[in-house]
Amino acid sequence: MLKKAYLNCSISQALAASALGLTLLSACGSSAVQTATEATAPAPAAVPLLMDEPIRPESFAQWRTEFRGFAMEQGVPPELFERIFADMEPDPAVIRADRSQPEFTRPVWEYLEGALSPQRLGTGQRLLVRHAQALEAIEQRYGVDRHVLVAIWGLESNFGNNIGDRNVMRSLATLAYEGRRPDFARTELLAAIDIVRNGDIAPENMLGSWAGAMGQTQFIPSTYNRYAVDFDGDGRRDVWQSSADALGSAAHYLSASNWQPGQPWGMEVAVPGGFDYSLADMSVRKTVSEWAQLGVVKVDGETLDADLAERHASLLLPAGHRGPAFLILNNFRSILRYNNSTSYALAIGLLSERLQGEGRVKASWPTQDQPLSRSERYELQERLQAAGFEPGGVDGILGANTRQAIRRFQQTQGWPADGYATQALLKALRAQSPQQPQQPLTPDS
Ligand code: CA
């Protein structure tokens, strides 16, 4: 399932997305882009498969001429256009990254281990002290918890130490010329030109990830234009060099993404025996008191907080019913607007708590389960489709329809219907219909 909307894409997030066999184009945009959602498996992979057929028949020079005409219509000054594009050539590394389709993915617990490393935690704690004044002011203006902001800072760019070293104009021009989502890249390229026209930064200093995510909180240009702020008051918005601007901009973006001040992102919970695991899905929302009536308690066994009783929440099982369970609230969804990966949002939530001495996951992860590879995800969907469970297409992405199909199959087996794909599940499907589907199935078949 491809679903619209995504958001921030730092290098780490591109890796998180690639876990789904996808490549994120970019960051923190309210702009609609196709992306995988409901991502639970993050992290990079070792074996990129490259598609090497050319996408565009025209030359880069031809593309530039055509784009120049369009840019002139948009009022871009010719001298600025020449300054940016004069000697530009496509960046082959950007194309390689855009077309990489990793075969293997890291399990969510390994992703979290990296995201919540002692080093990141220690740096975050030092920076909370060092930037206390700015963070206090940002909290007052936007109502976003400083620990969440520092967690985002840590995951997006390792606190500004990894903001990307590629020229954003060149990356986006490359992607507009021959990327997989040329229209999106073209829109972002025009947005990047707007940033330069506004005088925030010189085009040659506009560095970012291969996908065009910029600065310490990895904003794509359109998000930058809408949400970046000059928090330190020096007269320009600078998410590259000014931590206050970057953190203030991230807070502004979360605030605009329906952040509710003072509310938790969620919490680890425990569910009773015999629980109906088909309720554990981001699409199922109940009030906290309704979850309590279903027997959901805090992981330590205490009842759920009464002051959250009327809040809406979903039950998240990042590694299926044998792993930890989390009740996630509104602010988790705001973090998803920053980067539409549940693993990422979970990492941000937990890191924000670790920074305050908490945030340890109590239940154990099913570390004997290895995530399905890209080929296995295709095979799973093909077999579900062939067996009539209607996974909604065969695209290697385990979205809502595939999870529903898995649940239908699990129910026929008398298994807990958590919708989670495991090797055991694939094995059971293979046993049911030993023949591989004869014809490759298309998403529409
Ligand atoms: Ca500034």
Side-chain angles (χ1 to χ4, degrees), residues 313-330:
S314 296
L315 187 64
L316 177 70
L317 304 175
H321 75 281
R322 295 194 299 148
F326 301 91
L327 212 50
I328 53 123
L329 286 91
N330 175 83

Side-chain angles (χ1 to χ4, degrees), residues 145-165:
D145 174 16
R146 70 184 70 191
H147 305 96
V148 169
L149 295 174
V150 169
I152 287 174
W153 193 18
L155 257 63
E156 292 298 331
S157 67
N158 195 19
F159 310 104
N161 288 308
N162 187 9
I163 64 173
D165 59 0

Side-chain angles (χ1 to χ4, degrees), residues 74-88:
Q74 305 298 311
V76 175
E79 61 279 9
L80 176 61
F81 189 92
E82 296 311 324
R83 179 179 169 196
I84 295 170
F85 292 94
D87 301 314
M88 188 186 283

Side-chain angles (χ1 to χ4, degrees), residues 173-229:
T174 301
L175 293 168
Y177 167 56
E178 58 178 339
R180 295 197 292 171
R181 302 174 195 91
D183 293 343
F184 172 75
R186 184 185 172 102
T187 302
E188 291 302 322
L189 182 56
L190 280 170
I193 295 171
D194 279 345
I195 294 171
V196 172
R197 289 175 75 186
N198 289 338
D200 284 336
I201 193 166
E204 51 275 16
N205 294 334
M206 190 183 258
L207 300 180
S209 75
W210 68 266
M214 309 181 300
Q216 302 188 25
T217 43
Q218 296 282 284
F219 275 24
I220 55 170
S222 61
T223 303
Y224 178 102
N225 281 329
R226 289 184 69 182
Y227 300 108
V229 294

Side-chain angles (χ1 to χ4, degrees), residues 26-106:
S26 175
C28 203
S30 45
S31 45
V33 184
Q34 296 288 306
T35 184
T37 183
E38 293 105 21
T40 50
V47 188
L49 303 175
L50 297 179
M51 299 180 294
D52 54 12
E53 70 275 17
I55 290 176
R56 296 289 287 261
E58 64 182 352
S59 69
F60 186 71
Q62 286 170 318
W63 172 85
R64 182 168 52 198
T65 301
E66 183 270 331
F67 180 70
R68 186 180 192 283
F70 183 72
M72 295 305 107
E73 285 171 21
Q74 305 298 311
V76 175
E79 61 279 9
L80 176 61
F81 189 92
E82 296 311 324
R83 179 179 169 196
I84 295 170
F85 292 94
D87 301 314
M88 188 186 283
E89 292 293 334
D91 185 342
V94 167
I95 290 303
R96 277 197 298 277
D98 187 43
R99 296 184 191 173
S100 127
Q101 300 198 326
E103 176 68 4
F104 298 106
T105 63
R106 272 196 307 175

